[in-house]
């Protein structure tokens, strides 16, 4: 598919690579669609996303085929998207269903229909693929487990690349430094030997144990009162930019995190995360995620101080044993990018 005139900025190498274009990316929360059409930018392409009369979520270029008005500035009438300029109206599948200026009985011209992109909803999020999907949206088993509740968080804009974010989410050696204000223990700087493995059929990464400071917010999240709690964790990736972390406490409480980095362009990204917990619902969702949001803010503050994109080749940066998972993620991503 070729689109012209809709790009926010010229696509650069990573955003233009078919591996990235053929992947699913989370761009918005489903709940945001209730307030009308949403403007999002994915891989340099401006999109409008809305829910149609048949409850289908559609993603299309944010440009009306008539005179290029941004459709995201329009409104919904019975689920149909009405352009703010001359009122052309779009329904299921982006089909133009009304041209107000046309005489009665005259159908919209064939080229008035929007060219749509692959779009799905999963985990309370809207996912878009600009190319042709080569793999499904990564699976989270707990989504179908009635013992777990799901909590969604706002979609934030981070001034950093999705590659730097993914690298950060796979890394635990920054905990005692970046996260010393939340759960990081300044004295626990040593990372035991990292053994990489298939965590399951979709996630590749490692298992480890950490002691975490259990402050007020942490105590709400862990459900425990001790000053320090032990967490049995896994962290793994699913290409290109999906990371899953699982936290298991001795009490039987499990806290699963899906950390999603979506390139707006090569140096700006959306960040959202989804939490699944097998708790007793005695703590509100807002309180549960306050701790994770504070941790995310610490990562954002750090990453926004780094310039440009993460060099993907293994010779530019110096890595150590503790970086093994990120090194393997970069190796696999590079291999996939190079193959195209
Ligand atoms: S620009 Fe959209 S109807 Fe004219
Ligand atoms: Fe972090």
């Amino acid at each position: 598919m070729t689109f012209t005139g809709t790009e926010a900025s010229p696509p650069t190498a990573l955003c233009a690579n078919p591996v990235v274009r053929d992947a699913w990316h989370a761009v918005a929360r489903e709940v945001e669609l209730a307030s009308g059409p949403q403007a999002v930018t994915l891989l340099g392409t401006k999109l409008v996303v809305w829910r149609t009369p048949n409850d289908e979520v559609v993603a299309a270029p944010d440009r009306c085929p008539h005179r290029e008005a941004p459709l995201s500035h329009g409104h919904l009438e019975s689920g149909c998207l009405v352009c703010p300029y001359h009122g052309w109206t779009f329904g299921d599948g982006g089909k133009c269903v009304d041209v107000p200026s046309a005489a009665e009985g005259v159908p919209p011209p064939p080229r008035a229909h929007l060219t749509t992109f692959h779009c799905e909803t999963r985990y309370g999020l809207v996912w878009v693929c600009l190319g042709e999907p080569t793999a499904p949206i990564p699976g989270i088993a707990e989504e179908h487990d009635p013992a777990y509740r799901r909590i969604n968080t706002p979609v934030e804009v981070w001034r950093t690349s999705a590659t730097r974010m993914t690298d950060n989410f796979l890394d635990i050696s920054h905990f005692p430094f970046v996260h010393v204000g939340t759960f990081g223990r300044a004295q626990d700087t040593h990372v035991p030997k990292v053994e990489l493995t298939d965590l399951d059929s979709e996630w590749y990464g490692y298992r480890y144990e950490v002691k975490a400071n259990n402050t007020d917010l942490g105590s709400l999240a862990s459900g425990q009162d001790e000053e320090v709690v032990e967490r049995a964790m896994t962290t793994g990736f699913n290409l290109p930019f999906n990371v899953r972390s699982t936290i298991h406490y001795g009490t039987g409480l499990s806290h699963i995190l899906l950390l999603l980095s979506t390139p707006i362009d090569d140096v700006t990204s959306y960040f959202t995360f989804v939490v699944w917990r097998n708790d007793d619902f005695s703590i509100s969702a807002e309180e549960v995620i306050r701790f994770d949001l504070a941790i995310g803010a610490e990562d954002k503050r750090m990453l926004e101080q780094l310039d440009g994109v993460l060099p993907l080749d293994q010779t530019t940066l110096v890595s150590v044993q503790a970086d093994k998972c990120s090194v393997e993620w970069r190796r696999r991503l590079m291999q996939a990018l190079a193959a195209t």
Side-chain angles (χ1 to χ4, degrees):
M1 279 189 285
T2 303
F3 294 92
T4 54
T6 59
E7 287 81 13
S9 55
T12 45
L14 192 67
C15 285
N17 190 285
V19 167
V20 179
R21 296 185 78 78
D22 290 346
W24 288 104
H25 302 278
V27 296
R29 285 190 300 183
E30 271 193 87
V31 70
E32 276 139 21
L33 300 179
S35 61
Q38 299 295 310
V40 299
T41 303
L42 174 62
L43 307 177
T45 300
K46 289 182 175 178
L47 304 174
V48 58
V49 180
W50 86 98
R51 197 181 283 282
T52 71
N54 277 341
D55 212 21
E56 173 198 7
V57 178
V58 168
D62 194 9
R63 182 198 59 165
C64 181
H66 180 218
R67 287 296 180 273
E68 303 189 315
L71 292 167
S72 59
H73 293 202
H75 67 280
L76 296 184
E77 268 180 29
S78 306
C80 290
L81 176 59
V82 182
C83 177
Y85 200 174
H86 311 92
W88 289 23
T89 303
F90 305 90
D92 290 315
K95 200 166 183 293
C96 184
V97 293
D98 189 31
V99 173
S101 62
E104 204 172 321
V106 176
R111 292 199 306 125
H113 306 311
L114 303 179
T115 307
T116 58
F117 297 101
H118 295 280
C119 186
E120 284 194 17
T121 54
R122 188 79 50 85
Y123 314 138
L125 299 170
V126 178
W127 299 72
V128 175
C129 171
L130 294 184
E132 291 301 320
T134 50
I137 294 166
I140 298 289
E142 288 76 9
E143 172 75 358
H144 309 291
D145 185 336
Y148 284 77
R149 62 167 157 164
R150 166 165 40 83
I151 305 171
N152 285 94
T153 63
V155 177
E156 301 176 357
V157 175
W158 288 19
R159 289 189 312 279
T160 189
S161 66
T163 47
R164 287 210 188 277
M165 293 164 74
T166 308
D167 175 65
N168 171 275
F169 301 148
L170 294 173
D171 161 30
I172 63 171
S173 64
H174 71 281
F175 288 0
F177 301 94
V178 172
H179 297 306
V180 78
T182 49
F183 71 95
R185 285 167 51 77
Q187 60 274 43
D188 291 345
T189 59
H190 175 250
V191 174
K193 191 162 190 290
V194 172
E195 303 278 4
L196 298 178
T197 183
D198 284 314
L199 297 170
D200 55 42
S201 61
E202 293 187 78
W203 298 94
Y204 188 80
Y206 60 124
R207 301 174 203 281
Y208 53 98
E209 312 267 332
V210 290
K211 287 195 173 77
N213 277 343
N214 201 36
T215 54
D216 299 344
L217 283 181
S219 160
L220 281 176
S222 70
Q224 299 173 62
D225 295 328
E226 291 80 358
E227 274 185 22
V228 175
V229 288
E230 304 223 359
R231 299 163 154 197
M233 297 188 61
T234 72
T235 291
F237 62 83
N238 176 304
L239 291 180
F241 309 123
N242 307 298
V243 173
R244 185 194 66 181
S245 271
T246 67
I247 305 169
H248 301 286
Y249 297 98
T251 55
L253 174 67
S254 293
H255 188 99
I256 315 300
L257 287 157
L258 178 62
L259 304 155
L260 300 167
S261 311
T262 293
I264 294 172
D265 54 36
D266 274 3
V267 291
T268 321
S269 309
Y270 293 125
F271 171 63
T272 192
F273 65 94
V274 189
V275 173
W276 288 263
R277 276 168 72 90
N278 61 347
D279 60 7
D280 61 4
F281 290 54
S282 60
I283 299 171
S284 71
E286 290 72 24
E287 284 185 307
V288 166
I289 59 166
R290 265 168 64 206
F291 185 55
D292 290 319
L293 287 170
I295 295 167
E298 290 171 333
D299 286 320
K300 179 173 189 271
R301 204 174 306 128
M302 184 72 250
L303 292 178
E304 289 188 344
Q305 296 172 48
L306 280 56
D307 288 331
V309 302
L310 178 81
L312 291 179
D313 71 277
Q314 306 288 5
T315 57
T316 308
L317 302 176
V318 181
S319 296
V320 293
Q321 206 282 139
D323 303 313
K324 199 167 167 186
C325 190
S326 165
V327 167
E328 178 60 11
W329 161 73
R330 275 192 291 155
R331 189 190 70 77
R332 291 187 184 198
L333 181 61
M334 273 291 278
Q335 194 175 45
L337 296 174
T340 61

